[in-house]
Amino acid sequence: MSNKLKTFTKGLLLENPLLVLNIGLCSSLGVTVSVMNGLGMGLGMTFVLLMSEIVISIFKKLIPSAIRLPVFIIVIAAFTTIVQLVLQAYVESLYNALGVFIPLIVVNCIIMGRVEAFASKNSIGDSILDALGMGIGYIIVMVAISFIRELFGNGTLFDGTSLKMVLIPEEYRIGILNSAPGGFLVFGIIGALVQFGKGIKANKDKAKLEAAEKASKQDNEVSVQEDK
């Protein structure tokens, strides 16, 4: 796998900001009561992350190390303000639903962490791939959490839009999923499933390695016997 592809794909699973790095959890647990909220927050965060990494990567050599963090925050805050104003002007229902979590994008650990650890040290192209990979990984997890919480907690999908569907009668809904503990519960289940899958893959890789080593050892023994 090329370095470019690794840079893009690491954020999808291996270094997923939510499931693996466990950062930026406030928004994932606070707004994921509906699919539209999760998708909207994910897209907004990805936009800010992408634009911030691009700008920091372009001007990284011009930013004095002594003031790099304040500069990073100013850049992130500028793009966060753009997202906030666009949502307020064109998607007011989503703006009201996300509430305080929109301005909190400024202090989202995912964005600050990637800007500091990656964009400030790498090229524009790599920074774009990193931002897109991390952003898509974030969106996937946000939508997955939102889907489970909205479907089983509220019995609907796409609530708040013209596409709203009521799929589960009220008496069969799991009300706790609409609360904060429900967010932790769903996040924990998804995280556990991911770790379980990684464990199975690790065991398979270990078994393949042991089989290859055993075959190599047998081949060496046969070669020694033939030489004799």
Side-chain angles (χ1 to χ4, degrees):
M1 184 183 296
S2 68
N3 291 333
K4 299 290 185 183
L5 187 57
K6 285 182 179 179
T7 299
F8 174 73
T9 58
K10 66 183 180 183
L12 301 180
L13 183 59
L14 294 178
E15 295 184 19
N16 187 282
L18 293 176
L19 294 180
V20 178
L21 302 181
N22 295 139
I23 55 178
L25 295 180
C26 292
S27 58
S28 66
L29 301 179
V31 306
T32 52
V33 291
S34 74
V35 172
M36 296 309 299
N37 286 6
L39 181 60
M41 188 67 186
L43 291 173
M45 199 284 298
T46 301
F47 170 79
V48 176
L49 176 60
L50 175 62
M51 299 307 299
S52 298
E53 286 210 43
I54 290 175
V55 170
I56 297 303
S57 181
I58 293 174
F59 297 104
K60 59 180 179 293
K61 294 182 179 179
L62 302 177
I63 302 174
S65 59
I67 61 169
R68 70 184 190 284
L69 291 181
V71 171
F72 293 168
I73 292 174
I74 290 172
V75 172
I76 295 169
F79 289 112
T80 300
T81 301
I82 292 174
V83 170
Q84 186 173 5
L85 293 177
V86 169
L87 290 179
Q88 187 175 13
Y90 298 103
V91 197
E92 189 173 0
S93 59
L94 181 60
Y95 171 81
N96 293 330
L98 296 180
V100 72
F101 289 102
I102 300 176
L104 283 177
I105 291 176
V106 175
V107 292
N108 192 301
C109 297
I110 299 172
I111 300 176
M112 181 59 71
R114 300 319 298 172
V115 166
E116 167 68 15
F118 196 91
S120 62
K121 300 178 179 65
N122 291 275
S123 66
I124 301 174
D126 287 341
S127 297
I128 291 174
L129 292 175
D130 178 76
L132 290 176
M134 289 288 172
I136 293 173
Y138 180 83
I139 291 173
I140 290 173
V141 177
M142 289 286 284
V143 171
I145 295 174
S146 301
F147 179 86
I148 295 172
R149 293 185 68 186
E150 181 179 2
L151 177 60
F152 296 103
N154 199 40
T156 64
L157 283 179
F158 307 112
D159 190 18
T161 71
S162 58
L163 300 175
K164 178 180 178 179
M165 297 179 288
V166 179
L167 301 175
I168 299 178
E170 185 173 355
E171 58 268 24
Y172 296 108
R173 299 171 187 173
I174 307 173
I176 191 175
L177 296 183
N178 290 323
S179 63
F184 282 99
L185 178 63
V186 174
F187 176 79
I189 292 173
I190 294 177
L193 291 174
V194 170
Q195 293 302 318
F196 179 72
K198 290 174 67 176
I200 292 177
K201 185 179 183 300
N203 290 334
K204 288 183 178 179
D205 292 342
K206 182 179 179 180
K208 289 180 180 179
L209 180 61
E210 291 176 348
E213 291 177 347
K214 184 177 180 180
S216 178
K217 184 177 179 180
Q218 290 175 346
D219 290 341
N220 291 336
E221 290 177 351
V222 171
S223 297
V224 171
Q225 291 175 359
E226 291 177 348
D227 291 340
K228 290 182 179 180

